[in-house]
Amino acid sequence: MEKISEWTCYKNLSQSLIIFTSLFSLSIATVFADDGSSSHKNTKNKCTTANGACSKIQNRQSVTVNNTTAKSGAYTANISAANRMFMQSSDHNYIKNKKVWLDLTRRKLKTHQLNGLVHAKDNMSIMQMGSDLFAGTFTTRDTWKIGIMGGYGQANIKNHSKQSSVDSSVKGYAAGFYAGWKSNGEQKDGFDIIGSVQYSRYKNSIDNIDAAAESYHSDGLIVGGQAGYGMYIYESEESKLLLKPHVQVHWSTVEADDHKDISGENVTQCNKGFVITRSGIGLYSNNKKFKNSNVTINPFLETDLFTFSDECALFYSDERIEQDKSKTAGQIKLGASSYIGKDFSLNMAISHLKGSHGYQQKELNLGARWSF
């Protein structure tokens, strides 16, 4: 472990800031680019209806099944996409000090709204990157680090009922900091914890049929934390097998601006704050390098249980609209990490998350790490 006096902080900081600034500028330009659509900008207010109430409309089936119904689903789908976009479960602090990392994620999500009257298909692409700024140790074995991170994401959503369909989209960026600690240095066993705080901002769009498109903004903080404990359950000269229970909490305060739709109806988000928890266990292989090669391939398998709060509620024309979201869902994830020499690694994973009410998500994740 390097001593604090040997950090070369200025070099790390300058390289990191260049990456961060470039990503930040590109994201802002994309999010706020003028695409010619109509925009309704309003301040965020308390959730109110025409009579000042914020109670749940008991009979959601009373909403007319027409283009308005599909459009209602588009608003809730946009809220959900913004809250989930930059949720991250990763091992950024478990490879080596002083590194730049890049994650590319592709997700496909299916959800239902209005008691199954509206179906939504969400295709989401996310790029996240960052760099460690500082690292050190409290003891002779542990390690800690602090870094910056930023990302850009885009979700294209098709919302359809039996009568019609409405497309919607969410584009946005997130930027912030992360910090991590590991009890056993660069080794994979032992305790570890990592957390992050990010600010995110999005441009939301609704493509109306035979009318001008709508656009509005949403923004908020994203706070996440993850902890785990790894233990070797099998060891040989060629490989080791690590068992690791883990837990994660994701809290998002992303909130959409109150606005009026193209026909003058009020659209107001009701729920403020969204929480996802993930708990599970992973099995990870730690193999030696191939003969006459600097390459190692380590496959892994994870199973998780997710819980969701009610984040996707809004009042549209004085009717409360929300997703028929599963309160819990199970996930299985299969992947592999490949280390090429001492300074570069690649990882790939596929996962399938499924719950009740037709809720399911398929995800492909590609990642790269460069240590320097």
Side-chain angles (χ1 to χ4, degrees):
M1 178 63 61
E2 291 182 307
K3 301 296 183 182
I4 295 179
S5 59
E6 300 172 352
W7 278 349
T8 64
C9 293
Y10 290 113
K11 175 183 176 183
N12 296 347
L13 182 61
S14 61
Q15 291 174 326
S16 302
L17 288 177
I18 291 173
I19 296 170
F20 184 82
T21 304
S22 300
L23 178 63
F24 193 83
S25 301
L26 176 61
S27 300
I28 291 177
T30 305
V31 172
F32 297 105
D34 182 10
D35 59 359
S37 62
S38 65
S39 177
H40 302 278
K41 171 72 175 181
N42 290 284
T43 59
K44 297 180 177 67
N45 298 314
K46 298 288 186 179
C47 175
T48 57
T49 62
N51 60 7
C54 192
S55 59
K56 182 174 180 178
I57 302 299
Q58 297 296 326
N59 184 12
R60 285 179 286 157
Q61 293 280 8
S62 64
V63 180
T64 305
V65 184
N66 53 22
N67 180 52
T68 302
T69 303
K71 187 175 178 180
S72 301
Y75 286 120
T76 59
N78 280 6
I79 295 172
S80 179
N83 274 305
R84 292 179 295 102
M85 186 171 290
F86 293 105
M87 179 179 178
Q88 192 176 55
S89 58
S90 61
D91 61 349
H92 292 157
N93 65 327
Y94 307 153
I95 299 175
K96 193 177 179 181
N97 289 332
K98 298 181 183 176
K99 77 178 170 297
V100 174
W101 53 267
L102 170 69
D103 279 331
L104 303 174
T105 303
R106 177 73 172 176
R107 294 177 186 151
K108 290 182 178 291
L109 177 69
K110 293 182 180 180
T111 57
H112 294 169
Q113 284 84 242
L114 298 170
N115 289 338
L117 295 179
V118 179
H119 307 274
K121 294 183 179 180
D122 181 345
N123 290 294
M124 187 180 297
S125 300
I126 307 108
M127 178 188 72
Q128 289 180 288
M129 63 188 302
S131 176
D132 300 341
L133 292 181
F134 311 107
T137 181
F138 298 115
T139 67
T140 57
R141 296 186 60 184
D142 74 333
T143 181
W144 61 263
K145 64 175 52 184
I146 298 173
I148 56 173
M149 62 191 300
Y152 174 79
Q154 177 174 330
N156 295 308
I157 310 167
K158 293 186 177 295
N159 309 274
H160 63 91
S161 64
K162 291 183 178 180
Q163 283 72 23
S164 64
S165 63
V166 174
D167 293 342
S168 62
S169 64
V170 179
K171 302 176 182 179
Y173 68 89
F177 299 87
Y178 63 89
W181 172 82
K182 202 170 193 318
S183 65
N184 200 17
E186 296 180 14
Q187 302 302 313
K188 294 182 179 296
D189 59 334
F191 286 102
D192 59 69
I193 183 169
I194 187 168
S196 62
V197 178
Q198 301 177 78
Y199 170 77
S200 60
R201 184 169 175 85
Y202 307 92
K203 181 178 181 180
N204 305 262
S205 298
I206 305 289
D207 295 333
N208 294 297
I209 298 175
D210 299 327
E214 299 172 34
S215 67
Y216 57 98
H217 293 104
S218 57
D219 68 324
L221 289 178
I222 301 171
V223 181
Q226 180 178 331
Y229 178 77
M231 65 196 90
Y232 287 113
I233 59 174
Y234 171 80
E235 296 186 54
S236 70
E237 293 183 358
E238 299 298 326
S239 64
K240 297 179 181 179
L241 201 58
L242 183 80
L243 187 68
K244 184 177 181 180
H246 52 256
V247 294
Q248 181 182 11
V249 177
H250 170 86
W251 177 49
S252 172
T253 66
V254 173
E255 183 180 335
D257 292 336
D258 296 347
H259 69 287
K260 294 182 181 294
D261 74 354
I262 199 69
S263 60
E265 297 288 350
N266 292 318
V267 182
T268 303
Q269 185 174 335
C270 192
N271 294 40
K272 314 298 183 184
F274 170 53
V275 178
I276 297 178
T277 66
R278 179 178 72 100
S279 58
I281 193 166
L283 193 61
Y284 308 87
S285 173
N286 188 10
N287 300 319
K288 287 189 174 182
K289 295 178 180 178
F290 292 116
K291 291 183 178 180
N292 302 321
S293 173
N294 287 326
V295 177
T296 60
I297 297 179
N298 298 324
F300 66 86
L301 174 67
E302 293 180 359
T303 58
D304 293 290
L305 175 67
F306 284 73
T307 64
F308 307 96
S309 67
D310 296 326
E311 100 283 20
C312 306
L314 56 87
F315 275 93
Y316 179 38
S317 186
D318 292 342
E319 296 274 11
R320 180 181 168 101
I321 309 297
E322 61 185 46
Q323 281 191 331
D324 304 331
K325 174 166 283 189
S326 175
K327 294 293 185 180
T328 60
Q331 176 181 266
I332 185 168
K333 187 175 185 178
L334 180 65
S337 297
S338 176
Y339 297 86
I340 305 172
K342 296 181 179 181
D343 301 325
F344 187 73
S345 66
L346 296 171
N347 61 76
M348 181 183 73
I350 55 173
S351 63
H352 187 200
L353 176 69
K354 190 171 184 179
S356 59
H357 301 292
Y359 182 86
Q360 59 177 315
Q361 174 181 293
K362 297 178 181 179
E363 180 176 307
L364 170 65
N365 178 267
L366 300 174
R369 307 282 190 273
W370 175 44
S371 302
F372 60 90

